[in-house]
Amino acid sequence: MLPPIVALMGGIAVLGASAGSAWAQAEGQLLQPDDWAYQRLSALRIQHGCSTTTSEERLNQGLAISRFSAAALLQACLPHLNGNTSERALLLRQLEQELQQLDQQVETLEATQFSPTTKLKGLASLVLGGNRFEGSDSAVVSSSRSNFGATTFNYDLKLYLDTSFTGQDLLRARLRSGNFDRVSNSFYGAGPSKLSILETAFQEQSGPDIVSVNRLYYQFPIGKGFTATVGPRIGQLDLFALRPSVYPAETILDLFTLKGAPAAYNFKLGTGAGLWWQSPGGFSVSANYVAGHGRDGNPSEGGIGTAYSASTGSVQLAYRQPQWAVAAVVSSVQNQGGGITYATNFTLDSLSNPGQTTAFGLSVYWQPRQSSWVPSISAGWGFNRTDYASEVERQGLVANSQSWSVGLQWKDLFAPGNALGMAVGQPIFATSLYGGDTPRDGNTAWEWWYKFQLSDNIAVTPALFLLSRPLGADTKTGESFRQLGALLKTTLRF
């Protein structure tokens, strides 16, 4: 999208100059040199070098400018005004009506004069943190402290290249790099379980600090209400019309980004395609397929639609309104290939055997109309049924498993742009076993965080998380083991 001032100035001839001249002719619609807004905009123009052709000459001569021209100048200066300062807020409030009209005219121009464009966006996450391991199982506690107990400082970098050819389609390429070590860093699932993986944690298999193509897909409309997406590098959640959660504004544990059903919404990454339909009334239906090993040509190791594809196929039915939404999903997940990640160690051991898991998920959210002391609520529940290949000895393996989560979030708490969040839930845990034995699986996960929005592009978020029993039924009888994580996350958008 072109910057509003550039699009507007380039399209004045198309829209006609009569509206602009009307602003300048009406004395009541002019900003005079002794007005506070005039003086502040003039100072900002000099300080930051932001200007517009319609206001430059008159400001240099100390002449009055139209409020419409002042709004255009404020648009040009906004990227230089970091933070939610009182000066910034007052300027926005004084020129609110003109800014709205400016945006409406830019939208009109872009609708009639679209040209192919590519935008680059960046997201850098810096994470300083560590883990504390406690419990009566001294051997596991000692081993975890020795292998994963150090404080670390890591980064995750994402670069988005978004291109549109028609104004309605999207070609997305995402480059990603990071240095979260897979062998020793608990924040990237090295141990003692995978439940402590952060959403920002990333490192290529070949090593740290390597930039790779993490996403590459094309999305385009088909007929009325239909959207198709296809790509050789795409995530399962990229293929749904609705992500049924408004939690979190700042991600901590990756577990709590999967809508309470981390088997059904497993975010499988690979070769995939999807189609969704949306109605004007809020209904949507999505169907998609992702093969984690879809790039492999050996059918005994991968491919699309083989027994070794490491695939996930999903269908979602959803309904959304401005304040709330609900979605139901069913996914068929091939056990091998790491399709399901966020479960107790006991359950993951079972799912490492060849077979198929049918996963159901039900997720809802509600949010207040305006920011207040009332939080938004995002909740989800998952139920999974696992069948194993005929050659697998099923006795004692997981037959049924469940999961759930609830996330609360307070937007603009204590200051505009800030947010407070808390989530609690149980990652996937076994509820019944083949053979009739009763599993003693289970673990509760918590996270708490507060995001300080220092400016439009910089946020700092201290966070804590607790895993009460991450090994699940692999915890020795009569013993306890838990993990407490603490981190400071800095997010920079550019």
Side-chain angles (χ1 to χ4, degrees), residues 250-284:
E250 192 66 67
T251 59
I252 306 300
L253 291 178
D254 197 28
L255 162 71
F256 288 118
T257 69
L258 298 178
K259 332 305 177 193
Y265 293 110
N266 56 62
F267 216 161
K268 188 64 183 178
L269 182 63
T271 300
L275 180 68
W276 73 60
W277 170 81
Q278 289 178 296
S279 75
F283 285 101
S284 65

Side-chain angles (χ1 to χ4, degrees), residues 12 39 68 74 87 108 174-175 279 283 340 368 379 389 409 434 480 484:
I12 288 292
Q39 295 172 6
F68 193 75
L74 178 57
E87 176 185 87
T108 302
R174 186 173 84 177
L175 307 181
S279 75
F283 285 101
I340 297 175
Q409 183 167 275
Y434 283 98
S480 63
L484 176 66

Side-chain angles (χ1 to χ4, degrees), residues 181-202:
D181 183 68
R182 293 173 176 269
V183 177
S184 64
N185 198 322
S186 183
F187 289 148
Y188 200 28
S193 76
K194 295 184 180 298
L195 300 176
S196 55
I197 294 178
L198 304 182
E199 188 275 335
T200 56
F202 178 79

Side-chain angles (χ1 to χ4, degrees), residues 114 116-118 161-174 213-222 226-235 238-240 270-276 288-289:
F114 180 82
T117 182
T118 298
L161 286 163
D162 289 345
T163 300
S164 181
F165 303 101
T166 67
Q168 297 178 327
D169 61 345
L170 170 67
L171 173 64
R172 167 161 289 182
R174 186 173 84 177
V213 177
N214 184 249
R215 293 288 190 280
L216 183 60
Y217 62 85
Y218 183 56
Q219 191 171 88
F220 54 96
I222 300 178
F226 288 90
T227 300
T229 310
V230 61
R233 193 71 170 158
I234 193 168
D238 298 322
L239 295 166
F240 289 108
T271 300
L275 180 68
W276 73 60
N288 54 69
Y289 172 87

Side-chain angles (χ1 to χ4, degrees), residues 8-232:
L8 180 64
M9 296 302 107
I12 288 292
V14 177
L15 294 174
S18 59
S21 61
W23 285 90
Q25 292 170 1
E27 181 67 16
Q29 299 299 327
L30 294 178
L31 280 184
Q32 301 296 334
D34 57 351
D35 290 338
W36 176 85
Y38 182 103
Q39 295 172 6
R40 289 310 306 145
L41 288 171
S42 182
L44 290 172
R45 176 182 64 99
I46 297 172
Q47 181 180 356
H48 300 294
C50 47
S51 63
T52 65
T53 55
T54 58
S55 60
E56 185 72 10
E57 184 177 352
R58 298 187 67 83
L59 286 170
N60 287 335
Q61 297 177 15
L63 301 175
I65 61 173
S66 71
R67 293 178 60 85
F68 193 75
S69 295
L73 178 57
L74 178 57
Q75 281 275 25
C77 293
L78 278 177
H80 304 284
L81 303 180
N82 294 328
N84 296 291
T85 63
S86 57
E87 176 185 87
R88 181 178 186 272
L90 187 56
L91 284 169
L92 289 170
R93 187 159 55 248
Q94 288 199 10
L95 297 170
E96 180 179 7
Q97 182 178 356
E98 291 76 20
L99 287 169
Q100 290 177 354
Q101 294 196 23
L102 180 66
D103 288 340
Q104 290 172 1
Q105 293 195 20
V106 170
E107 290 175 2
T108 302
L109 280 172
E110 291 180 336
T112 59
Q113 298 184 27
F114 180 82
S115 61
T117 182
T118 298
K119 296 186 296 183
L120 171 64
K121 297 184 295 182
L123 176 64
S125 300
L126 313 179
V127 179
L128 173 67
N131 294 277
R132 177 73 177 175
F133 304 97
E134 300 287 352
S136 61
D137 192 336
S138 58
V140 176
V141 170
S142 178
S143 174
S144 298
R145 289 177 178 176
S146 298
N147 294 320
F148 316 113
T151 299
T152 59
F153 190 23
N154 304 95
Y155 80 91
D156 173 41
L157 175 65
K158 301 172 186 173
L159 299 175
Y160 296 84
L161 286 163
D162 289 345
T163 300
S164 181
F165 303 101
T166 67
Q168 297 178 327
D169 61 345
L170 170 67
L171 173 64
R172 167 161 289 182
R174 186 173 84 177
L175 307 181
R176 194 172 185 183
S177 181
N179 67 344
F180 285 82
D181 183 68
R182 293 173 176 269
V183 177
S184 64
N185 198 322
S186 183
F187 289 148
Y188 200 28
S193 76
K194 295 184 180 298
L195 300 176
S196 55
I197 294 178
L198 304 182
E199 188 275 335
T200 56
F202 178 79
Q203 178 175 295
E204 268 299 323
Q205 293 184 357
S206 51
D209 309 320
I210 295 176
V211 179
S212 63
V213 177
N214 184 249
R215 293 288 190 280
L216 183 60
Y217 62 85
Y218 183 56
Q219 191 171 88
F220 54 96
I222 300 178
K224 188 174 182 180
F226 288 90
T227 300
T229 310
V230 61

